[in-house]
Structures are given as C-alpha cells and as structure tokens.
C-alpha cells in the first residue's frame, strides 16, 4: 500500500489538531471579557461563551428623565463585550485553520 504511511501521519496530525482545538475552545469559554460605556458608568462582563455574567451601573447615570441614555449605554457596552469575545474566538480558532481554504470564511 503506497502512501499508507502518509495517510496515517495525516490522520494523527488531524487528531492532534482536533484535540488542540477542543482545548483552545475550553480555555476560551473560561475567559472573562469586560466592556464599559459612558466613561465607565456602565460595565458589562461576559464569558467566552457569550453569556453576560454581570452588569454594573453607576447610580449617577440613572436618570428617570433620560432612560434612553442608560439603555444606549447598556447596548453599547454589551455589543462591545460580545465583539471582544468574537474577536478573541476568531484569533484563537483561526490559528488552526490558517492556510486551509474552508468554505464560507469559517473562523
């Protein structure tokens, strides 16, 4: 069987890459990300699984006559923290797919 050794070597490399990817995903999910808005008046914390784990709102920014501003600050901080998770995920997982022509821009 010609080429059998190459196929076995390739399979072992793929298994190692899969194991490394799973480890990287687990590490990413354990990370914590934080974003603020309004000069730190609103802080949103998320984990690597994109789960919001905490929101802190400085009481100075709570104005019953301007609820829209508070809503905007929360949206801004939330979108920022989720973008951080996406960027880190793409950076982390992208290292495994460099040079591979995966369809649809995966990772």
């Amino acid at each position: 069987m010609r080429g059998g050794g190459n196929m076995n070597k390739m399979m072992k490399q793929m298994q190692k890459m899969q194991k490394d990817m799973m480890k990287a995903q687990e590490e990413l999910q354990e990370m914590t990300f934080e974003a603020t808005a309004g000069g730190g008046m609103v802080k949103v914390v998320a984990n690597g699984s994109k789960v919001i784990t905490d929101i802190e709102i400085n009481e100075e920014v709570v104005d019953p006559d301007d609820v829209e501003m508070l809503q905007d600050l929360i949206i801004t901080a939330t979108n920022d923290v989720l973008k951080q998770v996406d960027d880190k995920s793409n950076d982390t997982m992208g290292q495994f797919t460099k040079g591979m022509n995966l369809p649809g821009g995966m990772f």
Side-chain angles (χ1 to χ4, degrees), residues 24-67:
Q25 263 183 324
E26 288 172 8
E27 290 173 356
L28 179 67
Q29 290 173 352
E30 293 174 8
M31 293 176 133
T32 300
F33 299 84
E34 177 181 306
T36 61
M41 296 301 241
V42 173
K43 179 172 85 172
V44 177
V45 180
N47 64 25
S49 296
K50 294 186 179 180
V51 174
I52 304 299
T53 58
D54 191 28
I55 295 178
E56 294 179 18
I57 300 171
N58 187 311
E59 64 186 43
E60 293 174 29
V61 78
V62 179
D63 179 355
D65 295 327
D66 195 3
V67 174

Side-chain angles (χ1 to χ4, degrees), residues 7-105:
M7 185 61 122
N8 286 337
K9 183 178 177 183
M10 189 170 92
M11 290 299 289
K12 285 182 182 183
Q13 287 174 337
M14 291 297 288
Q15 288 172 341
K16 182 185 181 320
M17 186 173 84
Q18 185 178 22
K19 183 179 176 183
D20 291 346
M21 284 177 68
M22 289 175 66
K23 182 180 179 198
Q25 263 183 324
E26 288 172 8
E27 290 173 356
L28 179 67
Q29 290 173 352
E30 293 174 8
M31 293 176 133
T32 300
F33 299 84
E34 177 181 306
T36 61
M41 296 301 241
V42 173
K43 179 172 85 172
V44 177
V45 180
N47 64 25
S49 296
K50 294 186 179 180
V51 174
I52 304 299
T53 58
D54 191 28
I55 295 178
E56 294 179 18
I57 300 171
N58 187 311
E59 64 186 43
E60 293 174 29
V61 78
V62 179
D63 179 355
D65 295 327
D66 195 3
V67 174
E68 286 183 18
M69 181 188 68
L70 179 56
Q71 292 168 336
D72 289 345
L73 292 174
I74 293 169
I75 289 169
T76 299
T78 301
N79 287 334
D80 186 27
V81 79
L82 294 177
K83 184 180 181 319
Q84 288 178 36
V85 175
D86 281 342
D87 290 348
K88 182 64 175 177
S89 179
N90 289 336
D91 289 346
T92 300
M93 301 313 289
Q95 69 184 336
F96 297 105
T97 58
K98 282 182 186 163
M100 294 182 178
N101 293 323
L102 297 176

